[in-house]
Amino acid sequence: MDYANYDIKKLKEIYNEIKIEYNNIKSKNILLDISRGKPCKEQLDLSNNLLKLEMKIDNLPLDLRNYGVLDGLDCMKRIFAEILDVEMENIFIGGNSSLCLMVDIISTFMLSGDMGLNPWSKQDKIKFLCPVPGYDRHFSICENLNIEMIPIPMDNNGPDMDIVEELIKDDDSVKGIWNVPIYSNPTGIVYSKKVIERFARLIPKAKDFKVFWDQAYALHTLTNEFIEKDNILKLFKNYNNENMIYIFSSTSKITFAGSGISCIASSIKNIEFIKKIMSIKTIGNDKLNQFRHIKFLKNLDYIKSHMIDHKEILKPKFDLVIKKLNNLKDIGIIDFREPKGGYFISVDTIKGNAEEIINICKQLGLILTPAGSTYPYRKDLDDKNIRIAPTYLNINELDIAMDIFILSVKYVSLKKLINI
Amino acid sequence: MDYANYDIKKLKEIYNEIKIEYNNIKSKNILLDISRGKPCKEQLDLSNNLLKLEMKIDNLPLDLRNYGVLDGLDCMKRIFAEILDVEMENIFIGGNSSLCLMVDIISTFMLSGDMGLNPWSKQDKIKFLCPVPGYDRHFSICENLNIEMIPIPMDNNGPDMDIVEELIKDDDSVKGIWNVPIYSNPTGIVYSKKVIERFARLIPKAKDFKVFWDQAYALHTLTNEFIEKDNILKLFKNYNNENMIYIFSSTSKITFAGSGISCIASSIKNIEFIKKIMSIKTIGNDKLNQFRHIKFLKNLDYIKSHMIDHKEILKPKFDLVIKKLNNLKDIGIIDFREPKGGYFISVDTIKGNAEEIINICKQLGLILTPAGSTYPYRKDLDDKNIRIAPTYLNINELDIAMDIFILSVKYVSLKKLINI
């Protein structure tokens, strides 16, 4: 069934059929969006008890309505400590956005430096390593701060650690590396234990080199299994690298995407540093929302069963997308890997086709993440990666969306093959 | 009754009585804190409906639980537009902390500059003007970023505008000025219309000079009157200075201090700039909490009646403090002005006495804001200013606290007068 096996005449026949279908869909004025990893209504409904909880706060040892508690409520720390397999003392609780915490930390390194070291903004050039394809918002942070980004290839086990080790060993302008180690955005890759171990024993030239570890999808399984986290702070400590790693997480895709709780996990020394930074900009984050989350999320066992409820909603959507993509894979015009968790499916088209496919989809009313978004500076040099976010649409909409996607991939691929 | 009228012998007699009282209080192991402007339990209780509101969000045009709406809900903007007397289009809604918004804006000017101008961190020296006494957290922001602070004297009408105009006209390293124009922290001063007009027509050398206008106490009256705000953005626009001013406000001292809503008001061009900045660090702030506030606060009329309820709780506390302070004023060892709103009373002791008074209070179990806090770098060169925050304690506790304060002022003043 591979297009490569057809002659030009046959391909033109198929192209003409596709062209009719294209016009047919175009006339329907569809508007669907699979560009962002947003939870759907049914997922949000799973947490509606957050809206209904009785807020009995009278007999608590402190008044949650008032100022204070910069680093967050202990019970909220305990929950994140369980999720991330670290100790409570390693946790700082933020507001509703872990992205915000990342920007706060990096801005601080830029302006004030890491605990007495030279501020990054005072140095000629700062570089970050960016495993690709990756999360566009991580790359935007760097681009906005004029931090040079170096793409790092990934395989099924995570980033190519030979390249990472090589790039950091003699160059002290390399200050950080972005990671989504579990169900990586967009590939769904889970870093192997061996890769994680190599992270823990990195020997960077820069004393203020930082490993940014975005656990956005720590529990976001599409199976019945959860990924073990194995106290990564301890692992880094074994190699005297405990101050090198900053872990970020949030409940954005556990409870409410717009009203969740975020956190940083790091060494005790780093947490002290973070508290100092944060004391300049806030007297404390929203403790009432922390309290709601404590009451609702209870403990890791409950959260896991809650995440299985999410999975029940999401699995059929991912299955549908994968089934349809397999059709394209069979005819040799895309490649992809089936994720076991996370919010995305990363599709590699034939080189040079991604941007045009995304444009054709747009013409037909399907919005995808802009071409190149999964690469630093939006530069996918092969122009082949497309990120699909199947979570937000309902299954019928997703069915239509994927038909448009399939058609667009075929349309563009055929055009190239028959040289129109 | 002025101590100045007594001879040394009489002063020593009084000192000995005070000393006995000192030992008496010390034996009681009191611990009271009037260091921070925190609302008290009864004030927080005024907003308890926020905890009980029925969150009917099903029939709204957008899902408040999900990601999005970077600049906040329109109805929340409308409320702040009313509070600040600006237009809705001039408002950006933040999280629970206006301090956080201030740091975000200034960090952006430091790292990326103001709309294409040279980033402040790339310039040799950056200076801010700081009307004194002022808000310690404003000064901490500058100190943390290595921004040089220049104290500006204030009188009953606001900062000395002759000095302000002089300092900014030829020096483009002067980039900003802090203001709490209504019920200034800690003096309670309300900027006069004439002073505000002079702000609006400032002609700074620096193209990126900014007026930071912290409306923390916009509606926080201790009378039945509210201060008119007279669309200050329009006023600045009249002098082509509409991009010079950033107004900050929050509901922290209207609803819940730890779980309020913050905002920035500025020109449309600045709001676009802010949205660009914020899009790097968040997908949107907590819309559910905005929704709670919209339902609870309703409109300016309701908010004003709510602020009168606050006043009913606070007025007796301020009256008590003022009554006791008048006693000290009569004997010539302090000066202060009675505020008509806000959260503080600013006391000027005899020069050189403030730090010791604060220490004596501490020995007796009363915590005050550390000496010098109301000045840049905590340097009150006259060592005379003490900030009293009477809101948090109940009236009985406040009575005890003020007795300790009175005693400590007398104790230190007498010691100096009789040269012990």
Side-chain angles (χ1 to χ4, degrees), chain A residues 242-255:
Chain A
E242 70 261 38
N243 299 323
M244 190 193 283
I245 182 166
Y246 282 81
I247 304 168
F248 300 90
S249 192
S250 81
T251 70
S252 295
K253 292 184 186 85
I254 296 175
T255 58

Side-chain angles (χ1 to χ4, degrees), chain A residues 3 15 18 324-325 327-329 331-335 347-350 353-354 356-358 360-361 364 368 384 386 388 402-417:
Chain A
Y3 277 178
Y15 176 75
I18 295 280
K324 301 228 172 188
L325 290 178
N327 173 277
L328 289 181
K329 196 173 181 177
I331 55 179
I333 53 176
I334 65 157
D335 195 14
V347 175
D348 283 335
T349 67
I350 294 168
N353 282 8
E356 196 175 345
I357 290 167
I358 290 166
I360 295 294
C361 283
L364 295 176
L368 288 156
K384 69 174 187 181
I386 299 178
I388 293 177
M402 286 313 295
D403 284 343
I404 294 175
F405 182 75
I406 301 295
L407 181 84
S408 302
V409 175
K410 285 183 179 171
Y411 180 83
V412 172
S413 306
L414 282 164
K415 260 177 61 173
K416 294 279 171 84
L417 286 169

Side-chain angles (χ1 to χ4, degrees), chain A residues 161 164-165 168 198-204 209 211 241 244:
Chain A
M161 294 307 290
V164 171
E165 286 165 2
I168 66 169
R198 285 179 76 177
F199 265 103
R201 56 181 158 84
L202 284 176
I203 306 172
F209 175 82
V211 172
N241 273 338
M244 190 193 283

Side-chain angles (χ1 to χ4, degrees), chain B residues 13 31 91 103 216 283 325 353-354 374 385 394 398 411-412 419:
Chain B
E13 271 175 42
L31 187 57
I91 300 279
V103 172
I283 310 174
L325 290 178
N353 281 8
T374 53
N385 189 253
N394 68 40
L398 188 62
Y411 180 82
V412 173
N419 205 11

